[in-house]
Every structure is written in C-alpha cells, then in structure tokens.
Amino acid sequence: MSSVKRLHFMDIIKRQYLFKLKAYHNIIGSLFIFHIVALLLSFIGQSSTIFIEHVSITEHIHSSDIIISFSLLWIFIASIYVTNRASKQMMFHFITNKWTNHLSNGLFMIILSVFGTITSIFLGLAYRLVVVLYYGIDQIFTYDSLSVTQVLITLFVAFLYHLLVFSFGYVVGEIIQLHRSFVFLVPMLLFGILILVTNVFNDPYMFTFYIKESSLLLFSFKVFGSIFLFWLIAIFAGSRLEVYQS
C-alpha cells in the first residue's frame, strides 16, 4: 500500500513538473531576450584614454560577466513568477499539496539553472572568440585564457549561483504572497539590511560572503546551506497560503 502511495506521489510531482515546463515556456524563451541585451551591452564594453607625452592610448575592456549577470537576473525574475498567485491557481487542476508543489518547483529550478548556466557560459566563450577575431590577437594586450578544467569549474560555480538566486527569489516570492503590503515592505527591508550590513562591516557582506570565497568546497557548502535555509523559509511561508486540494 505504501509503495502505491509513493508511486502516486511521484507521479503527481512528475505531472506537475511536465506541466510547468509547458506552461512556463515563455520564461525559457525570455532568456534569449536577456542574452541579446547582455551581448549588446558587452560589445559596448568599457573604454579609457590616457595621455603620455602627447600620445593618447585608448584601452577597451571587454568582459562576458554581464552575460552571467543578466542570466542571474532572468532566473530571479523567473522565481518570482513561479510563486505568483496566477501560477498557484494553475495547480488547481492537479491533486496537489504544498510538498508536491514545492518539489516540482525544485525540479523546475534545476532545469532553469542548467539551461541558464550552459547558455550563458558558452555564449560568453563565443563572445570572447568574436572579440579576438574582431580586434586581432596583436591588438589584445591581456587575455584570460581558459583551460577545460577552468571551464568546467566555471560551469559548476555558475550553476550554483543560479540555484542560489532562484532560491532567494523563491522565498521572497512566497513571502510576498502572504500579504499585498509585502510587495513594498520586503524590498525595503532587504535594502535596509544591505545598507546596515554595509555600514557595520564596511562591506556588502551578503554578497562578498559568496563572491570572495576562494575555496570551491567552502563555497559549495555556503551555497547549499543557504539554498536549504531559503527553501525551509519558503515552505513555511507557503504553508500559510491556501492549498488547493481535490
């Protein structure tokens, strides 16, 4: 009997997950718009000019970091979208509870993170190649080469950042759904905490806590620990909302 219930439980999660892949196809498609905007901004780059004995030297700096940044912005917006009231009402057609809904959202998070990571990293590599071909190798002063190992590490780190940002947005979205006033209160609270932490530590510690970590193992522990905490809060907040059952 328990095995039948377990299969039924997993089948519900699978159905919800597949349904969300189809229903949220616009979210996946919107990533290409974010990539296009990021590419345009990346091609603009940064430039600075210095003068040495009546000779001007103009330096152009190109980086693919903005592509990753826009991908993280995309997945944050996606996490908020998944938790809005319209998305929850779509689950009305399923035999669902808070656990199946959260688990299917977790699977959806992993797929979005994989998709965002792969597209943004390899688009960044293609952008670096285009820059080299456009300027010519003799016009490039410094170039950060990447080995296969470095590319794999970059993929793993970017994937963790996508999971982290989605989880943070997910808990923010769940909290906002508790009351309409939270739409304004939560951003104000987060902004206030950021200012307070920056003034106390003289550093935006909430970001440098992850960014400045040099150990990949410790970084992974920090990210997975934060993800676990975010999802616990999201589940608790979600339990206060109305759960559709049939």
Side-chain angles (χ1 to χ4, degrees):
M1 186 69 179
S2 60
S3 61
V4 174
K5 290 182 178 179
R6 188 179 300 109
L7 287 174
H8 184 59
F9 181 77
M10 296 304 296
D11 184 62
I12 292 175
I13 295 175
K14 179 182 177 181
R15 289 177 180 271
Q16 288 188 25
Y17 164 69
L18 294 176
F19 175 79
K20 288 176 181 181
L21 283 181
K22 296 179 180 178
Y24 298 143
H25 66 276
N26 57 327
I27 294 180
I28 299 176
S30 66
L31 177 60
F32 294 100
I33 299 177
F34 279 80
H35 281 336
I36 292 173
V37 175
L39 273 177
L40 292 176
L41 294 177
S42 297
F43 278 117
I44 295 175
Q46 301 176 359
S47 61
S48 60
T49 303
I50 59 175
F51 295 90
I52 302 177
E53 296 181 355
H54 306 290
V55 176
S56 64
I57 301 176
T58 302
E59 179 185 44
H60 298 278
I61 302 175
H62 292 273
S63 173
S64 60
D65 291 345
I66 193 171
I67 299 176
I68 303 294
S69 300
F70 267 70
S71 182
L72 294 176
L73 175 62
W74 163 77
I75 203 168
F76 177 79
I77 296 174
S79 64
I80 299 294
Y81 184 81
V82 167
T83 58
N84 64 25
R85 192 171 301 275
S87 298
K88 291 181 180 296
Q89 289 176 347
M90 285 195 304
M91 295 297 103
F92 178 79
H93 302 287
F94 292 90
I95 302 174
T96 182
N97 55 46
K98 61 182 180 180
W99 299 111
T100 57
N101 187 45
H102 287 305
L103 287 173
S104 61
N105 284 338
L107 292 175
F108 187 62
M109 171 190 69
I110 294 174
I111 290 299
L112 289 185
S113 298
V114 170
F115 186 68
T117 298
I118 293 177
T119 55
S120 59
I121 295 299
F122 284 99
L123 183 61
L125 294 175
Y127 167 74
R128 290 159 62 96
L129 179 61
V130 170
V131 170
V132 172
L133 295 176
Y134 178 78
Y135 287 102
I137 194 65
D138 57 322
Q139 296 294 322
I140 297 179
F141 181 69
T142 59
Y143 180 82
D144 295 330
S145 60
L146 292 174
S147 64
V148 176
T149 302
Q150 289 174 317
V151 172
L152 293 177
I153 293 176
T154 302
L155 284 169
F156 177 68
V157 171
F159 174 69
L160 292 185
Y161 271 123
H162 279 77
L163 292 178
L164 179 65
V165 172
F166 184 99
S167 300
F168 177 72
Y170 190 74
V171 68
V172 170
E174 287 288 354
I175 293 175
I176 287 176
Q177 292 303 314
L178 292 175
H179 197 276
R180 291 182 179 180
S181 62
F182 287 170
V183 174
F184 305 99
L185 292 178
V186 171
M188 291 174 60
L189 178 62
L190 293 175
F191 185 71
I193 293 176
L194 177 61
I195 294 177
L196 177 63
V197 171
T198 303
N199 290 332
V200 171
F201 294 96
N202 197 27
D203 188 80
Y205 189 70
M206 290 183 294
F207 300 107
T208 57
F209 176 74
Y210 304 102
I211 297 174
K212 288 187 176 181
E213 181 55 63
S214 57
S215 171
L216 182 60
L217 181 61
L218 289 178
F219 172 77
S220 302
F221 277 123
K222 287 181 178 181
V223 171
F224 284 122
S226 300
I227 290 173
F228 180 74
L229 178 61
F230 289 151
W231 278 83
L232 279 182
I233 299 174
I235 292 173
F236 175 77
S239 65
R240 307 297 298 271
L241 299 173
E242 181 180 2
V243 179
Y244 295 103
Q245 294 181 341
S246 59

